[in-house]
Amino acid sequence: MRRRPSRLVAVTAAVLALTGCEARVYGTPPPVNPGAPQLTVVAPQGPLAPLPEAAPDEPASTFEGLESRTNQATAEAAAKGADITTVVLDRSTGQRVTNGNGRSIAIASVVKLFIADDMLLRGPPLTPDDEKMFESMLRSSDDSAAQVFWDRNGGTAIVTRVAARYGLSGTRPNGLWFNTLSTAADLVRYYDMMLSGAGGLPRDKADMIVDNLAQSTPTGIDGMMPGGVYPQRFGIPEGLYGEPVAVKQGWMCCIGSDWMHLSTGIIGSDHRYVMAIASDQPATASAARATITQAVKTMFPGGRI
């Protein structure tokens, strides 16, 4: 973690459930209550795939009550001094739920998605050393790897190219890679179009990104923090502990007096849902992580959509 002008290390985290030779990331379960029935999560088999059309007789998800729970989560976070912005998309029905806060955010390490996307599309093919850095950048939010790829591929031009290709109207470069600006809506749009191929990235290349996000490490490499690591289960992984997730996390201090935490990604074995949530809060790092996680838990009681 760097201090502003800063960086953010992103990654996700969660418990890895092995499916054959491929790992799946699940959120962090709540504390065990001895004697209470325990949830058993069965990991999906085979590689994650873009969402197919729902069968005609399949009942559509209505996100019943999600809008009111999102407003509740926003109000509860605001009472703690946190400014929340969030968007959730059901890719099957096209339904979106937002808390109405469309503010711009510095996305820190979540820009590593754009670095990866641009590099895979434009080539050349990754060398063995590049592959190691690529995996470390997406799974453990390795900043040194991100800097190498950023410098090699044109710096701010990377963001400009990706924003144009995906139609991200609220996304623009802002100097150093970790200061890139975007919105929760743009990040949800990016994931949706990346999964469908509408952004131009071939399916096999998109799978490389998603598969690495689904194998993110419990902590991120963060040379500015004690011990050189940072907890990355906040937000989606801890809040949606009953779902398989593929996520890119981010955090940064200090934006004024605030810690910024950003949790983004794909939810469900069929890639049906996409979510982005960010929180700025004048609090300790641990308190700020707890706030964004509680917001997701309030939105999705029981850890599932």
Side-chain angles (χ1 to χ4, degrees):
M1 187 250 358
R2 302 185 187 192
R3 296 185 179 275
R4 183 91 166 178
S6 185
R7 71 148 214 171
L8 144 352
V9 166
V11 174
T12 55
V15 179
L16 294 180
L18 295 179
T19 61
C21 63
E22 186 172 344
R24 287 288 180 267
V25 176
Y26 282 79
T28 305
V32 174
N33 177 13
Q38 300 303 310
L39 173 69
T40 299
V41 180
V42 180
Q45 299 296 317
L48 293 171
L51 185 72
E53 291 293 330
D57 58 349
E58 179 182 325
S61 169
T62 61
F63 280 179
E64 183 177 357
L66 179 57
E67 183 175 358
S68 63
R69 294 194 303 272
T70 298
N71 291 335
Q72 177 187 347
T74 302
E76 290 174 352
K80 300 173 184 175
D83 183 9
I84 294 282
T85 174
T86 187
V87 175
V88 186
L89 170 68
D90 180 340
R91 299 181 60 239
S92 179
T93 65
Q95 187 175 4
R96 284 174 18 122
V97 173
T98 171
N99 70 343
N101 184 351
R103 66 181 175 88
S104 179
I105 50 178
I107 63 173
S109 280
V110 175
V111 78
K112 292 167 185 173
L113 293 170
F114 299 165
I115 295 173
D117 188 301
D118 182 78
M119 179 169 56
L120 291 176
L121 180 68
R122 298 174 69 243
L126 303 181
T127 67
D129 286 343
D130 286 343
E131 289 180 2
K132 292 178 182 178
M133 288 195 296
F134 183 87
E135 290 179 357
S136 184
M137 178 178 74
L138 292 182
R139 299 181 189 187
S140 299
S141 205
D142 188 333
D143 286 349
S144 60
Q147 191 67 55
V148 168
F149 294 142
W150 178 263
D151 293 340
R152 180 191 299 176
N153 295 303
T156 58
I158 295 170
V159 177
T160 301
R161 287 191 294 262
V162 172
R165 187 154 42 88
Y166 283 86
L168 308 180
S169 60
T171 299
R172 62 180 177 84
N174 187 31
L176 301 174
W177 56 265
F178 42 81
N179 286 327
T180 297
L181 298 174
S182 189
T183 64
D186 269 9
L187 294 175
V188 164
R189 178 181 175 89
Y190 169 78
Y191 276 112
D192 182 35
M193 293 179 66
M194 186 261 288
L195 290 170
S196 70
L201 190 66
R203 166 71 180 279
D204 62 325
K205 305 299 185 184
D207 284 347
M208 289 177 64
I209 293 176
V210 176
D211 289 348
N212 276 287
L213 299 187
Q215 298 179 69
S216 58
T217 54
T219 56
I221 300 170
D222 192 336
M224 299 300 291
M225 297 297 292
V229 296
Y230 191 85
Q232 298 179 115
R233 295 182 185 273
F234 60 84
I236 294 170
E238 285 187 335
L240 281 158
Y241 53 83
E243 300 277 6
V245 297
V247 276
K248 194 74 187 77
Q249 308 279 86
W251 60 92
M252 182 159 55
C253 178
C254 302
I255 302 176
S257 60
D258 293 350
W259 265 97
M260 187 283 291
H261 287 84
L262 174 60
S263 184
T264 75
I266 304 157
I267 303 156
S269 59
D270 58 359
H271 294 178
R272 178 167 180 169
Y273 304 100
V274 175
M275 179 177 183
I277 182 169
S279 175
D280 288 0
Q281 183 179 8
T284 64
S286 60
R289 291 196 304 271
T291 295
I292 191 172
T293 296
Q294 183 56 53
V296 178
K297 289 182 176 180
T298 299
M299 292 170 67
F300 301 104
R304 299 186 68 90
I305 293 184

